[in-house]
Amino acid sequence: MAGVSIDAGEKVIAEYRRHWYVLVTESGIIAFLAFLPFIALVALTATGYSERLLFFVLFVSMGWLTILWSLFFIIWTNYYLDVWILTDRKIIDIEQYTLFSREVSEFRLDRVQDVTVEVKGIVATMLRFGTLHVETAGAVREFVIKNVPNPYDVRDEIMDWHDKAMKTLSLQKDG
């Protein structure tokens, strides 16, 4: 990915994206809205119509479906490109805001001070997803990944690699 630098010898451990439930929920709304033109066409045929009105409704429906398809593409692209990459040395946070706007941040694992998990609601509890907050030394802001699957496992994995990074750093200082 452009803007992401992985050093020589650095290993990618894991990639974290939002939970599939988020994509399904947002896509479900688009799917529901896609049925509205068909409902309008059925209502139009049941009440009697002129050919001119039918062509107008078909034209508007095609435009509506094109807009919805574009929105689905944007939702899927944002879902896929919004990612955290855990390496053996750092975490890379790629925050995709819109199609042409993203922010790439990275922080070394030895800078991690606190990792907090937040799971809100019955759906998030049952499907096991939540928000992960990572605070780093000297960071102006906290790093957050929303709706990550298995947030407790992700926290444990980050903390394990943090401990390894701290041991490596202390060995470098001692040796």
Side-chain angles (χ1 to χ4, degrees):
M1 289 187 154
V4 176
S5 64
I6 296 179
D7 301 330
E10 188 173 8
K11 295 184 309 185
V12 174
I13 306 302
E15 290 184 4
Y16 306 109
R17 287 188 172 74
R18 292 180 290 158
H19 195 273
W20 58 264
Y21 178 77
V22 175
L23 179 64
V24 168
T25 302
E26 292 174 351
S27 300
I29 293 168
I30 297 292
F32 171 76
L33 293 174
F35 279 106
L36 293 179
F38 298 108
I39 294 170
L41 287 173
V42 168
L44 189 64
T45 57
T47 59
Y49 58 91
S50 68
E51 276 189 32
R52 198 176 236 175
L53 181 60
L54 176 65
F55 285 124
F56 175 75
V57 169
L58 284 174
F59 178 76
V60 170
S61 296
M62 290 303 113
W64 177 253
L65 292 174
T66 302
I67 290 169
L68 290 177
W69 179 253
S70 299
L71 285 174
F72 172 74
F73 175 73
I74 291 168
I75 287 169
W76 183 86
T77 301
N78 287 344
Y79 170 82
Y80 187 74
L81 295 179
D82 194 3
V83 63
W84 269 28
I85 301 170
L86 173 64
T87 73
D88 57 345
R89 298 180 192 163
K90 63 187 170 197
I91 296 176
I92 303 166
D93 176 16
I94 304 170
E95 187 76 31
Q96 190 73 30
Y97 295 111
T98 63
L99 281 179
F100 303 106
S101 174
R102 73 174 160 170
E103 179 179 89
V104 179
S105 304
E106 60 182 63
F107 53 94
R108 293 189 331 258
L109 285 169
D110 61 344
R111 308 278 297 172
V112 172
Q113 289 187 328
D114 184 43
V115 181
T116 305
V117 173
E118 181 181 343
V119 178
K120 288 185 178 181
I122 191 166
V123 174
T125 302
M126 290 176 58
L127 294 178
R128 295 179 38 130
F129 66 91
T131 301
L132 202 67
H133 303 267
V134 178
E135 293 181 33
T136 60
V140 175
R141 68 177 178 91
E142 148 180 275
F143 292 88
V144 177
I145 183 167
K146 295 180 181 177
N147 303 314
V148 66
N150 304 311
Y152 295 104
D153 296 340
V154 173
R155 178 201 57 201
D156 293 344
E157 190 168 25
I158 289 172
M159 292 309 294
D160 287 346
W161 283 99
H162 165 72
D163 292 343
K164 290 176 186 176
M166 293 304 290
K167 285 179 187 174
T168 303
L169 188 62
S170 69
L171 287 174
Q172 288 174 352
K173 285 182 181 179
D174 292 340

